[in-house]
Amino acid sequence: MWVKTSLLIMLLCLSTTELFARPCKTHRSDLKILAIAANASEDTFWGVYRKAMLAAANDLNLEVEFLALNHDSDNRFFYTRALKKQLEKGRKPDAVLTTLFLNAEASALDLLQQHQIPHLVVNTSLRPELVKRLGEPRKSNPYWLGSVTPDDSLAGYDLAKMLMQIHKGKSSKQQPVLLSLAGPHANNVSENRLYGLNQFLTENGMPPASPIYTDWGYSQAYDASVALFKRIPQANIVWTTSPTIARATVDYLTKYHPGNAVSIGTFDWSNEAINNIKQNYIDVSMGGHFIEGAWALILLYDYLHGNDFIHDTGAHIQTRLLPLTKINLQDYSKLLDARYFDSLKFASLSKCLNPRITKYQLNFDQLIGTNE
């Protein structure tokens, strides 16, 4: 009786992760992953995204092939035709990492299901109505394993909070007057970030934002900056949804309002954002989500070797964007260097390649620690 009771207590003490742990299969060196992402130059967000993913793939001994699509071609037929052509060309990939854009969310997932290829959605700002329309991963579509996506609403909130604190540090006697510049109307990323901004404003008794929408491009953003400051010249905080939009605002203010103590914030960690922070043009940039492709590769590696991440993380994994400022610039800016990526041990964060891990720790501090 004592033995049975002790055994029961031991089982009850096991964590959920330990109960669901599975022995991993022998390493496969022939695994091929197809990664779909926006086409962009190396120093942009998507360029850094690819660098991080390639470094992770190299450390995990995986082959990654990229299918680059033009983000500004808002055509779901273009997306699905390009994906279909890729899937029917040569050997079928063992899994697919895909962003969802060009209004091709449902058609892309349907196509991957038809080809019976396991897939993870990565770096896609998911709105509640989109998730409702697509359904939950692994239910109607058993090949859709889950998602690794940024929490853009929280990031919009956090950026507003940071900008308010920075403004008070610069000019504590001036009442905050906030302007907002967004991406295209109804764009998921932009709308989710705006939702977070408005949540912060509401909580702090401020009127909701009245953003000017842009096409993400410099020219429209510059014109929008001119219009906003003509309308509200006393503005002292500018909340923007992308570094290109922020740069346009900076250029306008530098030319027409030099010396104004305007606090400016944006999103994405890029060389452009780093240079703007160094030169005191902008104060903060929320980002770090370029690493999501690398995180997703680690999860896929374990899944394809018999250790399903869902018991640990669930199907939807949201990453929190972090603020890049002058204070932490030295610590995090090195992450944009491909050579630094190559020195990191991504494989040490895999449960299959590091059996001591009982719970995934996919964060920058853990990753940087692998280089120490």
Side-chain angles (χ1 to χ4, degrees):
M1 180 66 181
W2 181 86
V3 174
K4 288 182 180 178
T5 304
S6 299
L7 181 59
L8 179 61
I9 292 171
M10 286 173 65
L11 286 170
L12 289 172
C13 288
L14 286 174
S15 69
T16 305
T17 302
E18 289 167 327
L19 283 171
F20 283 111
R22 297 285 186 273
C24 294
K25 300 172 186 174
T26 304
H27 170 73
R28 286 181 55 191
S29 59
D30 63 337
L31 288 174
K32 177 182 174 183
I33 310 297
L34 175 64
I36 304 167
N39 191 18
S41 59
E42 284 194 6
D43 60 345
T44 62
F45 171 85
W46 289 108
V48 179
Y49 174 90
R50 286 196 298 270
K51 289 177 192 175
M53 192 183 292
L54 285 171
N58 185 56
D59 203 42
L60 293 163
N61 196 18
L62 290 172
E63 179 190 349
V64 172
E65 182 178 8
F66 284 95
L67 173 60
L69 301 176
N70 291 324
H71 210 309
D72 58 355
S73 177
D74 196 16
N75 188 321
R76 68 182 184 276
F77 301 109
F78 168 77
Y79 186 121
T80 48
R81 277 199 304 267
L83 177 56
K84 187 172 187 292
K85 183 178 178 182
Q86 185 73 26
L87 294 178
E88 293 172 351
K89 182 181 74 175
R91 179 190 149 202
K92 186 170 79 170
D94 294 282
V96 171
L97 291 181
T98 183
T99 54
L100 298 178
F101 54 92
L102 303 180
N103 294 320
E105 295 92 351
S107 57
L109 295 184
D110 286 346
L111 187 58
L112 291 168
Q113 181 180 6
Q114 289 167 23
H115 283 76
Q116 299 183 343
I117 302 174
H119 47 280
L120 265 176
V121 171
V122 186
N123 206 264
T124 300
S125 201
L126 298 173
R127 300 185 76 186
E129 56 268 33
L130 176 60
V131 175
K132 187 176 180 180
R133 182 159 55 88
L134 294 176
E136 284 297 316
R138 307 195 187 210
K139 292 188 177 176
S140 59
N141 178 356
Y143 295 95
W144 179 20
L145 304 180
S147 62
V148 183
T149 58
D151 191 336
D152 279 312
S153 295
L154 180 60
Y157 182 101
D158 286 344
L159 178 59
K161 184 177 180 180
M162 286 280 303
L163 283 171
M164 203 62 66
Q165 292 169 350
I166 290 166
H167 166 74
K168 287 177 182 176
K170 285 183 182 179
S171 48
S172 58
K173 293 181 180 179
Q174 279 191 349
Q175 283 295 316
V177 180
L178 184 145
L179 302 180
S180 55
L181 287 161
H185 188 66
N187 174 274
N188 285 343
V189 175
S190 185
E191 289 299 305
N192 280 337
R193 290 172 179 174
L194 281 170
Y195 179 86
L197 166 63
N198 281 320
Q199 187 180 11
F200 174 84
L201 294 174
T202 300
E203 287 179 8
N204 287 272
M206 299 173 71
S210 299
I212 289 186
Y213 293 93
T214 73
D215 61 358
W216 298 116
Y218 179 90
S219 179
Q220 276 197 14
Y222 191 92
D223 292 343
S225 300
V226 174
L228 277 173
F229 276 92
K230 192 171 286 186
R231 193 169 74 199
I232 312 174
Q234 72 276 23
N236 46 35
I237 299 174
V238 183
W239 180 104
T240 72
T241 52
S242 83
T244 301
I245 295 174
R247 179 164 56 89
T249 304
V250 166
D251 288 350
Y252 165 74
L253 289 172
T254 303
K255 186 174 182 178
Y256 293 104
H257 301 276
N260 275 24
V262 178
S263 301
I264 302 175
T266 191
F267 295 85
D268 294 351
W269 292 359
S270 63
N271 289 320
E272 182 178 40
I274 288 171
N275 291 333
N276 282 332
I277 291 171
K278 282 180 179 177
Q279 296 177 65
N280 296 316
Y281 290 147
I282 68 171
D283 298 277
V284 56
S285 190
M286 305 296 297
H289 49 310
F290 60 77
I291 202 70
E292 287 179 350
W295 294 157
L297 271 186
I298 293 170
L299 299 175
L300 265 186
Y301 178 92
D302 285 354
Y303 175 86
L304 293 171
H305 285 88
N307 196 327
D308 194 344
F309 58 86
I310 196 169
H311 306 303
D312 181 347
T313 63
H316 291 298
I317 303 161
Q318 282 198 308
T319 58
R320 183 168 189 168
L321 275 65
L322 303 174
L324 187 67
T325 66
K326 267 202 164 179
I327 295 171
N328 62 10
L329 197 62
Q330 189 172 355
D331 293 330
Y332 288 135
S333 61
K334 59 190 175 184
L335 287 166
L336 301 185
D337 187 339
R339 292 168 298 179
Y340 182 74
F341 275 135
D342 290 337
S343 71
L344 299 173
K345 299 177 179 63
F346 290 89
S348 67
L349 304 180
S350 155
K351 286 186 178 182
C352 283
L353 296 174
N354 188 354
R356 291 175 299 175
I357 296 175
T358 57
K359 189 167 183 62
Y360 285 110
Q361 298 291 332
L362 302 179
N363 58 67
F364 278 119
D365 290 338
Q366 203 70 23
L367 180 62
I368 291 171
T370 67
N371 189 36
E372 295 173 353

